[in-house]
Amino acid sequence: MPPSYNHTTNGVNLANYRQLTQSARNHIKNGSYRAPYEWTLESIEQMGAGAAENRMSSTLRDASTQLQATTNATVANDITSVNKALQTKLSQTEQLKNMLEVCLSEVVSEIAELLSTRKRLEERGGKVATKISVNASRLQVRSARPTREMTMDDVEKSLLKQQGLLGSFAERVNRALSQVDKEVAALEAVRAKLEADLRDKMEALRVDEAVLSIPTDPAVEGGVSPTFRRSHVDHMPKTPHSWVRATEDNLRNAHHWLADAARLRKAILHAIANSRANEHDMSSRLNENMMAKVAATRNLREDLQSQLERVREEQARAKQQRASLAAALEAKRGPLAQARERLAVRKARPCRETVNDEVEAALAREVAHLASITQQLSEKVNAVDREIAALDASAAQLADNIKDKDDALRIDERMVMLDGRINLVQRPPSSVASFAVSEMSMPRTQTLARIRELEASLSAARREREGMESSIRQLKESMGGSRYY
């Protein structure tokens, strides 16, 4: 170990030694004589002091050189360690920053997708609300049909079923909108945390890069920018593990909400697709039922009109026949009165001449025949009168039924066109055309087309059967009415 400053190898304090020698010299009086040994001792002492000063200076120089070398090595090692630690920290912070940016981009994209899904839900909700309004209007308009036409037919069943289906989907749309709002709010909160963490990481990168860029050579001018000079705030420093874990927790939480949002969007899109398919099928079936009902009502009205025309024709023939019978009856009344008068006059003969001869028998026979014919004609007239009354009642019933069919047909046509079409020939804009055919798969399209063909065939067969039953009923009525003649 080198000697300490101001001490010799023998432990003599040179500073004290200097003070003693100087004080001895100061005590020498000017102009006085000294002893030779004092004179020699003074020189020897001064030479010893000079040698001691030389040794002390040499020792100090060696110690300073060693200290400088040690200091330079320590500073260089510290700078290398700091630079290495800063570069490692910069790399780690950059990696976390990149992960935060990627996750933040995914969160922003997911929020945009959720908002787009919400818009689609609102559009579907608006369309469903429009269809519910149309359906309610159809039910209200259809409730004004005549009492005879109030039947729980396929149209009524389809309307009620569609109303329930649309109401159920409207409730699901409202619930989905509420859930989407919750997911968007949660993702916005996650986004705020990620943005705050990302800002802190970017600021940390900027600070660490500024620290790394500060020159280590004192000769180089420069220093920390004033923007980095912040007021001292006491913060509890984090450990490296907790610092990384905080960001990883944010990323894990963000990925959790992203997965939930993706599942929600998938469920919503699946529900929308199913609802559109169900609405399309239901609307298509309802449209076919309405058109079939209109056609059936129109055909039945035409059959009733044809039957009414035949009844009125039969009324005309019956009235003509009655007129003929009445004329024949009136024509027989004169001969009957004449025959009775002749028979009464002949009975006025004297008693001796009263005999049942051929004349008496002929007159009696004539009166009986004329009376029988008159009675038969009178009964036939009465029967024709009853049949005419029955035909009048039947014609009134048919006319009343036709009026109800006209009213029902007018109401049904108005009900069909509530969806916006201008005539019955036009394709329905809001029911059958719920979505483009291109969005449906080819097998599903073929299946639906086949179902529509079968339903159309069934409707045609039903109308044909109703026509045959109407013809048979008319034939029976015509055969039953002919027995009166």
Side-chain angles (χ1 to χ4, degrees), residues 42-58:
E42 179 184 8
S43 297
I44 292 172
E45 289 177 353
Q46 288 179 357
M47 286 187 294
E53 291 289 345
N54 286 338
R55 286 192 301 272
M56 185 181 64
S57 177
S58 176

Side-chain angles (χ1 to χ4, degrees), residues 63-78:
S64 298
T65 302
Q66 292 177 5
L67 179 61
Q68 185 177 3
T70 301
T71 303
N72 291 336
T74 302
V75 170
N77 189 26
D78 290 342

Side-chain angles (χ1 to χ4, degrees), residues 86-104:
L86 279 173
Q87 290 174 355
T88 302
K89 191 67 173 180
L90 284 171
S91 176
Q92 190 178 12
T93 307
E94 184 70 24
Q95 183 179 2
L96 290 176
K97 181 181 78 70
N98 292 336
M99 294 172 64
L100 285 170
E101 288 178 345
V102 172
C103 188
L104 182 60

